[in-house]
Amino acid sequence: MKLVIAYIAPFKLDEVRDALKAAGVTGLTAVSAQGFGRQAGHTETYRGSEYEVDMVPKVRIEVLVDDTLAPTVISTIETTARTGSTGDGKILVVPVEDAVRIRTGERGREAV
Amino acid sequence: MKLVIAYIAPFKLDEVRDALKAAGVTGLTAVSAQGFGRQAGHTETYRGSEYEVDMVPKVRIEVLVDDTLAPTVISTIETTARTGSTGDGKILVVPVEDAVRIRTGERGREAV
Amino acid sequence: MKLVIAYIAPFKLDEVRDALKAAGVTGLTAVSAQGFGRQAGHTETYRGSEYEVDMVPKVRIEVLVDDTLAPTVISTIETTARTGSTGDGKILVVPVEDAVRIRTGERGREAV
Amino acid sequence: MEINSGDTAWLLTSSALVLFMTPGLAFFYGGMVRQKNMLAMLMMNFVAMGIVTIVWIAVGASLAFSGTGKFIGDLNLAGLMDVGLGNELFGERYAIAIPDTVFLMFQCMFAIITPALIAGAVAERMKFTAWVAFILIWSIVVYAPMAHWVWGGGFIATQVKAVDFAGGLVVHINAGAAALALVLVLGPRTGWGKQVMRPHSLPLTILGAGILWFGWFGFNSGSALGSNGLAGQAFMTTHVAAAVAATAWVLAEAMSNGKPTTLGFVSGAVAGLVAITPAAGFVNLLGAVVIGLAAGVICFLALKLKTKFKFDDSLDVIAVHLVGGILGALLLGLLADADVNALASGGMEQFGRQATSVVIAFAYSFIVTFIIAKVLDMVMGIRATETQEREGLDLSLHEEQAYVMAD
Amino acid sequence: MEINSGDTAWLLTSSALVLFMTPGLAFFYGGMVRQKNMLAMLMMNFVAMGIVTIVWIAVGASLAFSGTGKFIGDLNLAGLMDVGLGNELFGERYAIAIPDTVFLMFQCMFAIITPALIAGAVAERMKFTAWVAFILIWSIVVYAPMAHWVWGGGFIATQVKAVDFAGGLVVHINAGAAALALVLVLGPRTGWGKQVMRPHSLPLTILGAGILWFGWFGFNSGSALGSNGLAGQAFMTTHVAAAVAATAWVLAEAMSNGKPTTLGFVSGAVAGLVAITPAAGFVNLLGAVVIGLAAGVICFLALKLKTKFKFDDSLDVIAVHLVGGILGALLLGLLADADVNALASGGMEQFGRQATSVVIAFAYSFIVTFIIAKVLDMVMGIRATETQEREGLDLSLHEEQAYVMAD
Amino acid sequence: MEINSGDTAWLLTSSALVLFMTPGLAFFYGGMVRQKNMLAMLMMNFVAMGIVTIVWIAVGASLAFSGTGKFIGDLNLAGLMDVGLGNELFGERYAIAIPDTVFLMFQCMFAIITPALIAGAVAERMKFTAWVAFILIWSIVVYAPMAHWVWGGGFIATQVKAVDFAGGLVVHINAGAAALALVLVLGPRTGWGKQVMRPHSLPLTILGAGILWFGWFGFNSGSALGSNGLAGQAFMTTHVAAAVAATAWVLAEAMSNGKPTTLGFVSGAVAGLVAITPAAGFVNLLGAVVIGLAAGVICFLALKLKTKFKFDDSLDVIAVHLVGGILGALLLGLLADADVNALASGGMEQFGRQATSVVIAFAYSFIVTFIIAKVLDMVMGIRATETQEREGLDLSLHEEQAYVMAD
Ligand SMILES: Nc1ncnc2c1ncn2[C@@H]1O[C@H](COP(=O)(O)OP(=O)(O)O)[C@@H](O)[C@H]1O
Ligand SMILES: Nc1ncnc2c1ncn2[C@@H]1O[C@H](COP(=O)(O)OP(=O)(O)O)[C@@H](O)[C@H]1O
Ligand SMILES: Nc1ncnc2c1ncn2[C@@H]1O[C@H](COP(=O)(O)OP(=O)(O)O)[C@@H](O)[C@H]1O
């Protein structure tokens, strides 16, 4: 099993989730995040003082998948979240050694 | 060392934390999350328009543990967070290659 | 590639980010978190009732790095986030099997 | 008496201020619940602005202020159909110089906020539909008679000869006793005593308290029903009692817990405002200071006691409104200064009258509310299900979410 | 007429209350947008307090209230330079006993909130600079003439003989028609219909609604321009219509969607307040109930219809203000009670006048707004870019962030 | 003079409005601090409503308004025990027709908000207990004498012959100078200049600004101490100055930084309100426009300068209240229009008097505050520890958390 982690633009969340659903993914967990990367940050101005803020709002999503589904998940996120401008984000894949569905106690692939 | 990640229902957080403490866990990090899974989402209505919202509030917790403690942690979360209804959540185990306690610079098992 | 995860004190975020930038890191993702550990929690009082709250606000940061840069990242976080008191936090290293830059589709080291 | 534009101006303003107190109260309470029940809490208060107004114009005002019954008014004013632009109805009767419509609207705002006060006790678990049914019935069966007894020429005014300047009996003891009854029928929130239930947004609570303090000038000073020396006196006693009680609460707290809290300050202010309510136009400044001091300290101690009891009065309606209201109603009996208002003069006689009226108000409100609650519970159920409580009443009862920070 | 201190007190208070409605409206709207556009929404409302005030003292007040033109006032009062401390200008003319400054400031607050109402329709996408230009021009070209026609002695008052107590035509239909025109020029928000755009903070919306209800007493009851029986009547009809409409909306909603919502309640209240606005000083209590009922149910249905249309009126200015305003203006024609106010008496004749005035107000506002919007769009562009919309207008247009919870 | 119900109505309303400004100010400031210090900020403001009221009735009012001393009043009114329902004390003396209680409460609200204004300068680091001690002493030693000099028959009124309609000297310059002194003793926040310290909730700041604007009508127009032409004039100049200053600030900002900000708009409005305060009842409309313009532009520039200085005036009390107050007090000397108010007529003579009074007010407040701060610092320490600052004052000083979004 793999944990596919992705940082995406907030306004892409709905679309990515729907695409993943369509691709057969049965679950996903999302968290609001702040990212810094190549994408330029922004200036904020408070009473005439300018602050350069280089953290940009992102959403961090996490999908636990069976090894075989991982490539589909990655390519689905990739194509859906892409706008072509910096700040589109990244996808990482982390190995998962075990998984449990709390409700039933099922383990491993069953738990996904 | 392992990183045990779990998605649980928000109202279970206090209970799970206390149970983990009792089981010998010395630390934990929690983050508010939105999950989608088998659990039905909910309808929201704003001025007569209904929106199906399939993201449900969850808490994502993360526990760094020594390999030997991992099974206890998993089973503790499992039993404490279980209510028997969909939405109870999941637990995953991810391998950790190294760990550092920032305050002291201790590494590996010492750092847990 | 590695994913370096760190839990740090919120007021250290700016400093750590700047130090990491200086050390050559090109991106980072941060999330607000609540941590429990050795650091004492605090008491909250509402209308005469005292509550012991042992979750402390933390920031969870995540840096995807090339294997070779990992030690630098760790030591940078370590030195910058350290104040010497409990609650300074922890750093973990998790293996990453694959990475994708969404914008370009670049993979692996290229994607970092 | 001819209509006086100055008196009318102050009463129009006061009516608006008292209406504004209900949103203020909504936020005062709302900030203290968990975020998943925020909207449900706001809604319990706001809906009173709808339902009670309708009840009031339909029958409430008439039952409270029409006729000469000892125990209840008549229905001659039902629907307020005969109310004109002048002051034929209430001008002579109360020797006031404001249009009847203004008198009736000023009173309407009191009828609204009284059941809204109860909402704090049943927060985070009462079913919304049951709440609507409850305030509808309660406004007719409990509020209207009580208002009649005290202000509409009923037996508390004429026989017991107790006084109540702006609603110690009619509003606060009434709401507090009802809160106790309702809480006993309803039972505690799921997880109560086990889970920590912290206020989700104290800034909103404090905002609500600010609005309440502001609006209370209309409540108390407006109860002079004119723009005159008595209104000025009530304004002053109100402000001073609030200030003293807030300070006293924080001091008591600092001495007992070690830390002065913001929630403590505003709770003290509200307790002081509650306690001065019946007395505002009867006491001198010293009286106001004493009442404020008593309210701050005793309501704080009442809260400390609360943990000893087995009921879950979620947002402390009993400790603040019941205890505060009783304090004010009784102390007024001792402290009333005939130089301020010839209608009452402090001493054991007036104290006795006040004590009697407190017992009557408490007993009536408690018993009748208990019965209403029991009946409603049998008929329709008054509690949300455990699943609804878990999910939060906002989503489960109203299909809404208070805060959506996504995107 | 000599200046009367009571009338003046109520009008000073009312002016302050109406000014306070604009912040109230800002929060009512602000809570409904996504958090990334929160400040931009607040700013669209607040800036009207700046720009429109300046326009008003420069030329607006004069165009609306000076001279005897049928279609437009003159510029004799431009800059308000000749306004003294007395009531020479408006005292005799309107038979009122308040200083001219107070009359002009009371009217200024109406001029401010009217364009602010439009902001809800163009939320989350209109360019700030274009908005500033828009309200500046609109206040002169649309608002001032309309105010003149209805309240300044223009042809709607004198020829059409339609009445408008507190701004059904001048404020609500005017703003609603302008909203429709502006939305048609502007087009829908990026992602509209595809993305779910939920209110980011309903508590703030509800707070705004509370402030609006409170302030509306100044708006409607203050429109009696005195502290008297008529003010009392307008106060009562206003409060009752709001209460009935809020309740009706929630009932309609519960019957149609299954759940009563908090946003529904406050939307209903606002709809009721809008609808009673033109009628507040003309109808009796029964009239207020009917208007409230109609507003609650019909504005709710208007919203349900909205999905059928292709325009994105983000925060429902049309369904609430245009529909509500028309309802009130027309129903007043049927329900006006000459015992309340000798100026209008319900019946087909008055209904016809009202209908005519509605058509005129709608047509004028719609057409002229459409032209202004088109011209502005050509000259400077009125829409934020897609990237700005994506990033949120707060950051992209104002370099600010509404909420920063870090550390 | 007999008590006049209309004057009384407006002063009752104004007193309530001015009280409401302190919660407004609390939110205006509170939104600008980091969330971990939100409650501490609110508390610094709210506690003034408690402490200062007590000080005021005990000795403050007497020191300010009793007796005929040049430099300080007497203690004959201490405890306000002899204040009746009539207007024996102040009616003749000030030729006003409101009850003495109302005059004293109106003034009390000014005494409250003045030290509360200072809180913005010392935000996020001052110890709460020290703050309480500070405002207690300061109200007696600085505020009461200053009020006496200017409004209580003291030497600024009688010898210097400077005028101050609603508190340019007594409130704004006084608070601004004190802020400067206190900041110098206190030192900057930990991390200041290194860490970015952004406002945590601009919507709450803007809400506060809305409340301030609303309440300021009571502050300035209420300072006419009657409901008359002068009150109307002060109302108008107040509103117009706020509108012009807000607009001017945003323009200056757009020209200098490129983006108009919401915080800029409301800061400008407050600056305008500050600057018009001393002048509200002395200038004509043109004067108000000039003062508004000056306030918007110059206070903005003062802020830009601020980065050059080494002190951390956290929320810009100096740039807004000190600079704004001085501007208003001086410009009034040039612009006062004797047709508006016979008490002052613009010209070099009046300008000289105003300048003298500004210097005196500044010097007195600065020096005495500096001494109080130094003494308090030695006696009890006035700063929170670095650890407390890091953790946030809410948790460390008050054991409370502003926002708890869990569950
Ligand atoms: N090395 C990294 N580690 C963790 N997160 C990263 C890293 N690089 C980028 N990110 C995340 O991805 C987001 C987008 O990255 P950015 O470099 O701005 O755009 P792109 O990858 O499209 O060129 C960042 O805002 C951040 O959240
Ligand atoms: N494949 C997945 N990847 C990541 N998170 C998941 C996945 N499946 C479920 N989750 C998380 O677990 C939560 C519960 O899952 P759900 O399917 O609703 O219930 P259950 O596992 O009890 O049947 C979800 O809300 C989501 O946060
Ligand atoms: N075993 C753990 N698993 C996950 N997070 C942990 C663990 N231990 C500590 N943490 C995180 O690190 C933070 C600091 O840990 P703490 O024990 O308080 O201080 P220190 O490591 O400096 O002694 C905690 O608040 C928590 O967020």
Side-chain angles (χ1 to χ4, degrees):
Chain A
M1 285 160 304
K2 306 291 177 204
L3 187 63
V4 180
I5 301 171
Y7 316 119
I8 61 174
F11 67 86
K12 280 291 188 183
L13 178 59
D14 291 355
E15 235 173 291
V16 168
R17 191 194 53 228
D18 293 345
L20 285 173
K21 250 196 227 179
V25 165
T26 56
L28 163 165
T29 302
V31 154
S32 326
Q34 299 284 323
F36 126 74
R38 298 192 190 177
Q39 179 185 11
H42 55 262
T43 308
E44 295 183 17
T45 311
Y46 299 105
R47 288 189 160 165
S49 305
E50 297 187 5
Y51 302 96
E52 292 305 321
V53 177
D54 48 12
M55 301 292 273
V56 180
K58 295 285 163 196
V59 169
R60 178 190 189 280
I61 62 176
E62 223 168 53
V63 194
L64 170 72
V65 279
D66 199 68
D67 291 18
T68 53
L69 199 59
T72 323
V73 167
I74 295 171
S75 66
T76 306
I77 299 178
E78 213 182 316
T79 45
T80 329
R82 181 180 294 164
T83 68
S85 34
T86 43
D88 278 354
K90 288 194 188 338
I91 311 174
L92 344 177
V93 182
V94 167
V96 172
E97 298 183 346
D98 200 1
V100 182
R101 161 168 292 121
I102 294 175
R103 174 164 51 89
T104 57
E106 286 160 291
R107 297 212 150 214
R109 295 182 46 177
E110 310 291 288
V112 177
Chain B
M1 286 160 302
K2 306 290 177 205
L3 187 62
V4 181
I5 301 171
Y7 316 119
I8 61 173
F11 67 87
K12 280 290 188 185
L13 177 59
D14 290 356
E15 237 173 290
V16 167
R17 191 194 53 229
D18 293 345
L20 286 173
K21 252 197 226 178
V25 164
T26 55
L28 163 165
T29 302
V31 153
S32 325
Q34 299 283 324
F36 126 74
R38 296 191 191 177
Q39 180 186 10
H42 54 262
T43 308
E44 294 181 19
T45 311
Y46 297 103
R47 288 189 159 164
S49 304
E50 297 187 7
Y51 302 95
E52 292 306 321
V53 178
D54 48 13
M55 301 293 273
V56 180
K58 295 285 165 199
V59 170
R60 178 189 189 280
I61 63 176
E62 223 169 51
V63 194
L64 170 72
V65 279
D66 198 69
D67 292 18
T68 54
L69 198 60
T72 322
V73 166
I74 295 171
S75 65
T76 305
I77 299 179
E78 212 183 319
T79 45
T80 329
R82 181 179 295 163
T83 68
S85 34
T86 43
D88 279 353
K90 288 196 190 334
I91 310 174
L92 343 178
V93 182
V94 167
V96 172
E97 298 183 347
D98 200 1
V100 183
R101 161 166 293 121
I102 294 174
R103 174 165 51 91
T104 56
E106 288 161 290
R107 296 212 152 215
R109 293 182 48 177
E110 309 292 285
V112 177
Chain C
M1 285 160 303
K2 305 291 175 203
L3 186 63
V4 180
I5 301 171
Y7 317 119
I8 61 172
F11 67 87
K12 280 291 188 184
L13 177 59
D14 290 356
E15 237 173 288
V16 168
R17 189 194 54 229
D18 293 345
L20 285 173
K21 252 197 227 178
V25 165
T26 54
L28 164 165
T29 303
V31 153
S32 326
Q34 299 285 320
F36 126 74
R38 295 190 193 180
Q39 181 185 10
H42 54 262
T43 308
E44 295 181 17
T45 312
Y46 298 104
R47 288 190 160 163
S49 305
E50 298 186 4
Y51 301 96
E52 293 305 320
V53 177
D54 48 13
M55 302 292 274
V56 180
K58 295 284 165 199
V59 169
R60 178 190 188 280
I61 62 175
E62 224 169 51
V63 193
L64 171 71
V65 279
D66 199 67
D67 292 18
T68 54
L69 197 61
T72 323
V73 166
I74 295 171
S75 65
T76 306
I77 299 179
E78 214 183 316
T79 46
T80 327
R82 183 180 293 163
T83 68
S85 35
T86 43
D88 279 355
K90 288 194 189 338
I91 310 174
L92 343 177
V93 182
V94 168
V96 171
E97 298 182 347
D98 201 1
V100 183
R101 162 167 291 121
I102 294 174
R103 174 166 50 90
T104 56
E106 287 160 293
R107 297 214 150 212
R109 294 181 47 176
E110 311 290 288
V112 177
Chain D
M1 265 175 116
E2 223 183 314
I3 287 175
N4 171 298
S5 65
D7 289 351
T8 302
W10 178 232
L11 265 290
L12 287 167
T13 305
S14 292
S15 303
L17 285 171
V18 182
L19 182 276
F20 196 37
M21 289 175 75
T22 297
L25 181 69
F27 281 87
F28 183 66
Y29 282 165
M32 280 190 266
V33 301
R34 288 165 292 170
Q35 50 97 0
K36 65 183 176 185
N37 299 314
M38 175 59 171
L39 297 174
M41 184 76 255
L42 296 177
M43 186 67 160
M44 288 177 87
N45 287 274
F46 270 72
V47 81
M49 295 166 43
I51 302 293
V52 178
T53 301
I54 295 171
V55 171
W56 185 251
I57 58 169
V59 296
S62 190
L63 289 174
F65 289 106
S66 178
T68 55
K70 260 189 207 169
F71 296 110
I72 189 75
D74 58 35
L75 288 173
N76 289 341
L77 268 186
L80 301 188
M81 286 311 156
D82 292 335
V83 181
L85 270 61
N87 66 345
E88 289 74 23
L89 293 171
F90 303 109
E92 294 297 322
R93 186 162 157 203
Y94 293 111
I96 54 180
I98 59 174
D100 294 333
T101 52
V102 177
F103 176 78
L104 289 166
M105 281 299 109
F106 183 63
Q107 292 296 341
C108 178
M109 305 317 182
F110 284 67
I112 289 170
I113 200 170
T114 307
L117 288 170
I118 307 173
V122 300
E124 309 201 287
R125 61 199 184 285
M126 189 159 175
K127 233 162 78 175
F128 177 68
T129 47
W131 172 253
V132 169
F134 174 76
I135 59 173
L136 198 157
I137 298 168
W138 194 88
S139 295
I140 300 172
V141 180
V142 181
Y143 185 82
M146 192 86 80
H148 181 74
W149 302 345
V150 179
W151 294 330
F155 79 101
I156 290 191
T158 56
Q159 254 112 335
V160 179
K161 293 188 194 307
V163 293
D164 182 4
F165 193 71
L169 297 165
V170 180
V171 176
H172 298 292
I173 296 176
N174 196 358
L180 180 57
L182 205 47
V183 158
L184 291 178
V185 178
L186 200 58
R189 287 167 288 178
T190 302
W192 182 66
K194 276 171 285 174
Q195 237 174 297
V196 174
M197 295 169 175
R198 290 179 290 168
H200 89 284
S201 178
L202 283 183
L204 292 182
T205 291
I206 292 159
L207 175 66
I211 294 175
L212 284 173
W213 193 325
F214 173 54
W216 224 294
F217 291 123
F219 203 89
N220 285 2
S221 175
S223 288
L225 298 175
S227 179
N228 48 37
L230 187 59
Q233 179 71 13
F235 191 107
M236 181 171 71
T237 56
T238 298
H239 179 64
V240 169
V244 171
T247 308
W249 183 302
V250 166
L251 277 176
E253 182 170 63
M255 275 157 25
S256 125
N257 293 65
K259 293 284 165 71
T261 69
T262 320
L263 180 57
F265 187 87
V266 297
S267 303
V270 172
L273 290 162
V274 167
I276 197 66
T277 294
F282 292 112
V283 295
N284 55 30
L285 193 57
L286 187 63
V289 170
V290 172
I291 288 175
L293 210 56
V297 174
I298 297 178
C299 291
F300 173 72
L301 294 176
L303 264 178
K304 296 287 277 179
L305 259 180
K306 173 189 164 188
T307 33
K308 304 259 183 303
F309 292 100
K310 284 271 160 295
F311 54 81
D312 173 20
D313 171 14
S314 319
L315 311 180
D316 306 314
V317 178
I318 296 164
V320 175
H321 294 276
L322 183 57
V323 174
I326 292 176
L327 266 176
L330 295 181
L331 284 175
L332 140 67
L334 299 174
L335 300 168
D337 178 346
D339 286 350
V340 169
N341 192 326
L343 293 179
S345 160
M348 287 319 293
E349 194 186 14
Q350 189 62 35
F351 183 82
R353 294 165 176 171
Q354 296 300 117
T356 310
S357 72
V358 165
V359 171
I360 294 169
F362 177 86
Y364 182 77
S365 175
F366 181 84
I367 293 167
V368 180
T369 305
F370 195 88
I371 296 170
I372 300 173
K374 275 289 181 196
V375 171
L376 278 179
D377 201 20
M378 283 179 335
V379 175
M380 65 191 299
I382 60 173
R383 242 195 111 120
T385 67
E386 201 178 309
T387 317
Q388 288 170 333
E389 266 188 76
R390 280 259 151 83
E391 193 182 0
L393 304 186
D394 291 6
L395 277 177
S396 61
L397 301 187
H398 304 292
E399 292 190 340
E400 293 174 296
Q401 233 177 307
Y403 309 99
V404 174
M405 288 297 155
D407 199 13
Chain E
M1 263 175 117
E2 222 183 315
I3 287 176
N4 172 297
S5 66
D7 289 352
T8 303
W10 177 233
L11 264 291
L12 287 167
T13 305
S14 292
S15 303
L17 285 171
V18 182
L19 180 277
F20 196 36
M21 289 175 75
T22 297
L25 181 69
F27 281 87
F28 183 66
Y29 282 164
M32 281 191 265
V33 301
R34 288 165 292 169
Q35 50 98 3
K36 65 183 175 186
N37 298 316
M38 175 59 170
L39 297 174
M41 185 76 256
L42 297 177
M43 186 68 159
M44 288 177 87
N45 287 274
F46 270 72
V47 82
M49 295 166 42
I51 302 295
V52 179
T53 300
I54 295 170
V55 171
W56 185 251
I57 58 170
V59 297
S62 190
L63 290 175
F65 290 106
S66 179
T68 54
K70 260 189 206 171
F71 296 109
I72 190 75
D74 58 34
L75 287 172
N76 288 342
L77 268 186
L80 300 189
M81 286 311 154
D82 292 335
V83 181
L85 270 63
N87 66 346
E88 288 73 25
L89 292 171
F90 303 109
E92 294 298 321
R93 184 161 159 205
Y94 293 113
I96 55 180
I98 58 175
D100 293 332
T101 52
V102 177
F103 177 78
L104 289 167
M105 281 299 110
F106 183 64
Q107 292 296 340
C108 177
M109 305 316 181
F110 284 66
I112 289 170
I113 199 169
T114 306
L117 287 170
I118 307 172
V122 300
E124 309 198 288
R125 63 197 183 286
M126 188 160 176
K127 230 163 77 176
F128 177 68
T129 46
W131 172 253
V132 169
F134 174 76
I135 60 174
L136 200 157
I137 299 168
W138 193 87
S139 295
I140 300 172
V141 180
V142 181
Y143 185 82
M146 192 87 80
H148 182 76
W149 301 345
V150 179
W151 294 329
F155 80 101
I156 290 192
T158 55
Q159 254 113 332
V160 180
K161 293 187 192 309
V163 292
D164 181 5
F165 194 71
L169 297 165
V170 180
V171 177
H172 298 291
I173 295 175
N174 196 358
L180 180 57
L182 204 46
V183 158
L184 291 179
V185 178
L186 200 57
R189 287 167 287 179
T190 303
W192 181 67
K194 275 171 285 172
Q195 237 174 298
V196 174
M197 295 171 177
R198 291 180 290 167
H200 89 284
S201 178
L202 284 183
L204 292 182
T205 291
I206 292 159
L207 175 67
I211 293 174
L212 284 173
W213 194 324
F214 173 55
W216 224 295
F217 291 123
F219 203 90
N220 285 3
S221 174
S223 288
L225 298 177
S227 178
N228 49 35
L230 188 59
Q233 180 71 14
F235 191 108
M236 181 170 72
T237 55
T238 298
H239 180 64
V240 168
V244 170
T247 308
W249 183 302
V250 166
L251 276 175
E253 182 170 63
M255 275 157 24
S256 124
N257 293 64
K259 293 285 165 70
T261 69
T262 319
L263 181 57
F265 188 86
V266 296
S267 302
V270 172
L273 291 161
V274 166
I276 198 67
T277 293
F282 292 112
V283 295
N284 55 30
L285 193 57
L286 188 63
V289 170
V290 172
I291 289 175
L293 208 58
V297 174
I298 296 176
C299 291
F300 173 73
L301 294 176
L303 265 179
K304 295 287 273 180
L305 260 181
K306 173 190 165 187
T307 34
K308 305 260 184 302
F309 293 100
K310 284 271 161 294
F311 54 81
D312 173 21
D313 171 15
S314 318
L315 312 179
D316 304 317
V317 178
I318 297 165
V320 175
H321 294 275
L322 182 57
V323 175
I326 292 178
L327 265 176
L330 294 182
L331 283 174
L332 141 68
L334 298 175
L335 298 167
D337 178 346
D339 286 349
V340 168
N341 192 325
L343 294 179
S345 160
M348 286 319 292
E349 192 186 12
Q350 189 62 36
F351 183 82
R353 295 164 175 174
Q354 296 300 117
T356 312
S357 71
V358 165
V359 172
I360 295 169
F362 177 86
Y364 182 77
S365 176
F366 181 84
I367 294 167
V368 180
T369 305
F370 195 88
I371 296 169
I372 299 174
K374 276 287 183 199
V375 171
L376 279 178
D377 201 21
M378 282 178 335
V379 175
M380 64 192 297
I382 60 172
R383 244 196 110 122
T385 67
E386 200 178 310
T387 317
Q388 288 171 332
E389 267 188 78
R390 279 260 151 82
E391 194 183 359
L393 305 186
D394 293 4
L395 278 177
S396 61
L397 301 187
H398 304 292
E399 292 191 341
E400 294 175 296
Q401 231 176 311
Y403 309 99
V404 175
M405 288 298 156
D407 198 13
Chain F
M1 261 175 118
E2 224 184 314
I3 287 174
N4 171 297
S5 65
D7 289 350
T8 303
W10 178 233
L11 264 290
L12 288 167
T13 304
S14 292
S15 303
L17 285 171
V18 181
L19 181 276
F20 196 37
M21 288 175 76
T22 297
L25 181 68
F27 281 88
F28 183 66
Y29 282 165
M32 280 189 266
V33 301
R34 289 165 292 170
Q35 50 99 1
K36 65 183 176 185
N37 299 315
M38 175 60 171
L39 298 174
M41 186 75 256
L42 296 177
M43 185 67 159
M44 288 178 88
N45 287 274
F46 269 72
V47 82
M49 296 166 41
I51 302 293
V52 179
T53 301
I54 295 171
V55 171
W56 185 251
I57 59 170
V59 297
S62 190
L63 290 175
F65 289 106
S66 179
T68 55
K70 260 188 206 169
F71 296 109
I72 189 76
D74 58 35
L75 286 172
N76 288 341
L77 267 186
L80 301 189
M81 285 314 156
D82 292 336
V83 181
L85 270 63
N87 66 345
E88 288 74 23
L89 293 171
F90 303 110
E92 294 298 322
R93 185 161 158 204
Y94 293 112
I96 55 180
I98 59 173
D100 293 332
T101 52
V102 177
F103 176 77
L104 288 167
M105 281 300 109
F106 183 63
Q107 292 296 341
C108 178
M109 306 317 182
F110 284 67
I112 289 171
I113 200 169
T114 306
L117 287 171
I118 307 172
V122 300
E124 308 199 290
R125 62 197 183 287
M126 188 161 177
K127 233 163 75 174
F128 176 67
T129 46
W131 172 254
V132 170
F134 174 76
I135 59 174
L136 200 157
I137 298 168
W138 194 87
S139 296
I140 300 171
V141 180
V142 181
Y143 185 82
M146 192 86 81
H148 181 76
W149 301 346
V150 179
W151 294 329
F155 79 101
I156 291 193
T158 56
Q159 254 110 335
V160 180
K161 294 190 193 307
V163 294
D164 182 4
F165 193 71
L169 297 165
V170 180
V171 176
H172 298 292
I173 295 176
N174 196 359
L180 180 57
L182 204 47
V183 158
L184 292 178
V185 178
L186 201 57
R189 287 167 288 179
T190 301
W192 182 66
K194 275 171 285 173
Q195 237 175 296
V196 174
M197 296 170 176
R198 291 180 289 167
H200 89 285
S201 178
L202 283 184
L204 292 182
T205 291
I206 292 158
L207 175 66
I211 294 174
L212 283 173
W213 194 324
F214 173 53
W216 224 295
F217 291 123
F219 203 90
N220 285 3
S221 174
S223 288
L225 298 175
S227 178
N228 48 37
L230 188 59
Q233 180 71 12
F235 191 107
M236 181 170 72
T237 55
T238 299
H239 179 65
V240 168
V244 171
T247 308
W249 183 302
V250 166
L251 278 176
E253 182 170 63
M255 275 155 27
S256 126
N257 293 65
K259 293 286 165 72
T261 68
T262 320
L263 181 58
F265 187 86
V266 297
S267 302
V270 171
L273 290 162
V274 166
I276 197 67
T277 292
F282 292 112
V283 296
N284 55 30
L285 193 57
L286 187 63
V289 171
V290 172
I291 289 177
L293 209 58
V297 174
I298 296 177
C299 291
F300 173 73
L301 294 176
L303 264 178
K304 296 286 274 179
L305 260 180
K306 172 189 164 188
T307 33
K308 305 261 183 301
F309 292 100
K310 283 271 161 295
F311 54 81
D312 172 21
D313 172 14
S314 319
L315 312 179
D316 305 315
V317 178
I318 297 164
V320 175
H321 294 275
L322 184 57
V323 175
I326 292 176
L327 267 176
L330 294 182
L331 284 174
L332 139 68
L334 298 174
L335 299 167
D337 178 347
D339 287 350
V340 168
N341 193 325
L343 293 180
S345 161
M348 286 320 291
E349 191 185 16
Q350 190 62 35
F351 183 82
R353 294 164 174 172
Q354 296 300 118
T356 311
S357 72
V358 165
V359 171
I360 294 169
F362 178 85
Y364 182 76
S365 176
F366 181 83
I367 294 167
V368 180
T369 304
F370 195 88
I371 296 170
I372 300 174
K374 276 288 182 199
V375 171
L376 279 178
D377 200 21
M378 282 178 335
V379 175
M380 65 193 297
I382 61 173
R383 242 195 111 120
T385 67
E386 200 178 310
T387 318
Q388 288 170 334
E389 268 189 76
R390 279 259 150 82
E391 193 183 1
L393 304 186
D394 293 4
L395 277 177
S396 61
L397 300 187
H398 303 293
E399 293 191 339
E400 293 174 297
Q401 233 178 309
Y403 309 99
V404 174
M405 288 297 156
D407 198 12

